[in-house]
């Protein structure tokens, strides 16, 4: 096994792979090292939504960053399919947030008005729609009586999160990068002008190291003297039997997958490192889904599962150099799927020494105080 690389990325989730793929595409010597079993990761509890609308009020940088990624996704997905031979099943479908009752509709409307006001002359790509407009957009869905409308954004979309993960893995290796699996990093240490990455299977040497290990960044970052402010967040989802192509536009919390099943889930639970499954929580989600779309009550549930996701403490991404280390980087993002396209475009250049674009540069460690 080769043990020396220009750049070594610790963590083979969507964020680490997007950076590794981008570096390999640029002809650089790069390896992604990953300990996590292929399916035991945050991508399992990801709905696959490329979702930018109705969030991040008060943080225009993040709003612009997300929409930039969404606008890059078509080209990114097509290139990834060509380089890997795996279709990430990207759809520029737009997205809908259904509202149950007038109170919820008004709350959404007020939030959207605030986003429009904050955007000013830049404009904001999101609108409120009535129930009748929802019915025209999704004529084969009979909404429940409580649904009175919702929000709509044409710039949201869908990608299959596991297909995206598989395509990034294959694309990385097809472009000359190295993927090292089943190998847990225990620490990183400065060594000369570069770094040594320590694992039970031996040491790896690199000029640059990228910490993209999700929750594992807390332990690995500590070996370089930095506290990484991320916390676990549990997601629980369930999957139904296959249906016809009657839901071409995903709802926030209900989406038809590329394989024709329906995935349901939207809640965020702060339960520490407990990945356990909660039937009560899934029951609450199911009741909500049936209120939105009563026909769901007739669909058989195939599987239910839970998974821990990664949340920076304020919900926004982290992109920074490790303090005191010019060639060691920390990357953490909750919306790794949504941001994958902008990550692939910008973060490899950042790792190679260029500065981040202004919107990305807003998300350094300094906002948390002393790291």
């Amino acid at each position: 096994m080769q043990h020396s690389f220009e750049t070594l990325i610790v963590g083979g989730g969507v964020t680490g792979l997007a950076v590794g793929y981008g570096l390999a595409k640029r002809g650089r010597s790069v390896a992604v090292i990953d300990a996590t079993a292929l399916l035991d990761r945050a991508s399992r509890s990801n709905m696959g939504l490329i979702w930018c609308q109705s969030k991040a009020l008060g943080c225009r940088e993040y709003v612009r960053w997300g929409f930039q990624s969404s606008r890059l996704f078509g080209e990114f997905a097509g290139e990834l399919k060509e380089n890997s031979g795996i279709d990430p099943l990207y759809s520029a479908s737009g997205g809908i947030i259904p509202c149950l009752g007038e109170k919820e509709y008004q709350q959404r409307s007020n939030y959207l008005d605030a986003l429009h006001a904050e955007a000013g002359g830049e404009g904001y790509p999101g609108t409120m729609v009535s129930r009748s407009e929802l019915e025209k957009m999704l004529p084969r869905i009979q909404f429940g009586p409580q649904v009175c409308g919702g929000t709509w954004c044409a710039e949201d979309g869908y990608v299959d999160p596991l297909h995206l993960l598989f395509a990034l893995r294959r694309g990385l290796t097809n472009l000359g990068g190295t993927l090292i699996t089943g190998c847990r990093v225990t620490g990183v240490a400065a060594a000369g002008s570069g770094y040594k990455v320590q694992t039970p299977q031996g040491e790896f040497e690199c000029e640059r190291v990228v910490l993209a290990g999700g929750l594992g960044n807390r332990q690995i970052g500590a070996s370089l003297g930095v506290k990484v402010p991320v916390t676990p967040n549990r997601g629980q989802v369930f999957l139904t039997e296959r249906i016809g192509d009657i839901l071409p536009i995903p709802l926030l919390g209900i989406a038809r997958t590329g394989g024709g099943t329906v995935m349901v889930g939207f809640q965020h639970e702060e339960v520490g490192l407990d990945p356990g499954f909660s039937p009560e929580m899934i029951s609450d989600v199911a009741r909500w889904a049936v209120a939105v779309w009563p026909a769901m009550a007739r669909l058989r549930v195939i599987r239910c599962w839970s998974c821990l996701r990664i949340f920076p403490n304020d919900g926004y991404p982290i992109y920074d150099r490790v303090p005191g280390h010019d060639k060691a980087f920390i990357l953490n993002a909750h919306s790794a799927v949504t941001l994958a396209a902008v990550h692939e475009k910008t973060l490899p250049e950042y790792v190679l020494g260029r500065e981040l674009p202004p919107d990305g540069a807003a998300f350094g460690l300094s906002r948390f105080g002393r790291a």
Side-chain angles (χ1 to χ4, degrees):
M1 183 188 298
Q2 182 182 345
H3 280 72
S4 180
F5 301 91
E6 181 183 28
T7 301
L8 197 146
I9 298 171
V10 180
V14 171
T15 296
L17 285 169
V19 180
Y21 171 84
L23 287 168
K25 190 176 76 172
R26 291 160 173 80
R28 311 306 290 245
S29 166
V30 58
V32 175
I33 186 167
D34 192 37
T36 307
L38 184 57
L39 296 180
D40 184 18
R41 56 177 70 251
S43 294
R44 291 178 62 242
S45 61
N46 191 296
M47 294 287 290
L49 303 179
I50 300 165
W51 208 266
C52 305
Q53 66 161 305
S54 295
K55 59 184 181 182
L57 180 64
C59 187
R60 283 294 299 159
E61 294 91 348
Y62 187 74
V63 171
R64 289 190 294 260
W65 194 239
F67 278 113
Q68 181 183 351
S69 191
S70 178
R71 291 159 189 163
L72 291 169
F73 230 102
E75 180 181 353
F76 171 57
E79 178 192 277
L80 194 56
K81 180 180 178 180
E82 180 179 351
N83 287 335
S84 70
I86 298 173
D87 187 352
L89 303 178
Y90 167 68
S91 171
S93 57
I96 294 168
I97 304 177
C99 294
L100 296 177
E102 292 295 337
K103 180 179 179 181
E104 188 174 313
Y105 185 91
Q106 191 59 53
Q107 289 172 338
R108 286 285 178 189
S109 180
N110 292 343
Y111 192 84
L112 195 57
D113 286 346
L115 284 166
H116 278 282
E118 185 177 72
E122 291 182 22
Y124 186 85
T127 59
M128 299 300 298
V129 291
S130 66
R131 179 187 174 103
S132 62
E133 289 173 305
L134 287 183
E135 291 170 339
K136 290 177 183 177
M137 296 167 78
L138 292 171
R140 299 181 66 185
I141 300 295
Q142 185 173 352
F143 291 100
Q146 291 178 270
V147 177
C148 59
T151 67
W152 156 253
C153 179
E155 297 198 33
D156 293 330
Y158 172 82
V159 66
D160 186 292
L162 292 180
H163 280 235
L164 176 64
L165 189 77
F166 299 150
L168 285 166
R169 288 166 66 103
R170 180 76 61 78
L172 167 76
T173 56
N174 284 355
L175 292 170
T178 300
L179 180 64
I180 304 167
T181 59
C183 187
R184 182 170 297 279
V185 171
T186 57
V188 177
S193 61
Y195 296 89
K196 287 187 177 180
V197 176
Q198 298 142 1
T199 79
Q201 289 93 327
E203 288 187 336
F204 295 84
E205 297 180 349
C206 56
E207 179 183 341
R208 300 179 179 88
V209 64
V210 177
L211 309 186
L215 294 172
N217 273 2
R218 297 186 298 184
Q219 174 191 345
I220 302 165
S223 67
L224 288 173
V226 62
K227 181 179 179 181
V228 183
V230 294
T231 56
N233 183 281
R234 188 170 69 186
Q236 298 190 72
V237 294
F238 67 87
L239 198 70
T240 77
E241 63 182 300
R242 289 178 171 81
I243 63 171
D245 189 13
I246 64 175
L247 189 64
I249 302 171
L251 310 177
L252 185 61
I254 305 174
R256 181 181 182 272
T257 71
T261 55
V262 179
M263 185 179 285
V264 182
F266 60 83
Q267 292 182 315
H268 300 272
E269 301 173 80
E270 296 182 2
V271 292
L273 293 172
D274 177 13
F277 179 76
S278 168
E280 295 80 11
M281 190 65 70
I282 283 291
S283 295
D284 288 343
V285 173
R287 281 190 286 270
W288 169 84
V290 170
V292 171
W293 181 17
M296 285 208 67
R298 298 193 295 271
L299 296 178
R300 292 175 299 162
V301 174
I302 297 172
R303 273 193 308 133
C304 306
W305 68 96
S306 62
C307 192
L308 294 179
R309 299 174 295 204
I310 300 95
F311 254 66
N313 287 358
D314 63 357
Y316 298 123
I318 299 171
Y319 316 120
D320 211 338
R321 292 176 173 85
V322 174
H325 296 268
D326 289 340
K327 295 184 179 180
F329 302 83
I330 295 172
L331 307 178
N332 277 100
H334 162 58
S335 297
V337 169
T338 294
L339 298 175
V342 75
H343 283 171
E344 188 277 329
K345 184 178 180 64
T346 63
L347 295 185
E349 297 296 331
Y350 178 53
V351 170
L352 293 174
R354 294 188 181 180
E355 292 304 311
L356 283 168
D359 287 335
F363 302 111
L365 287 168
S366 62
R367 72 186 194 269
F368 299 103
R370 187 172 181 177

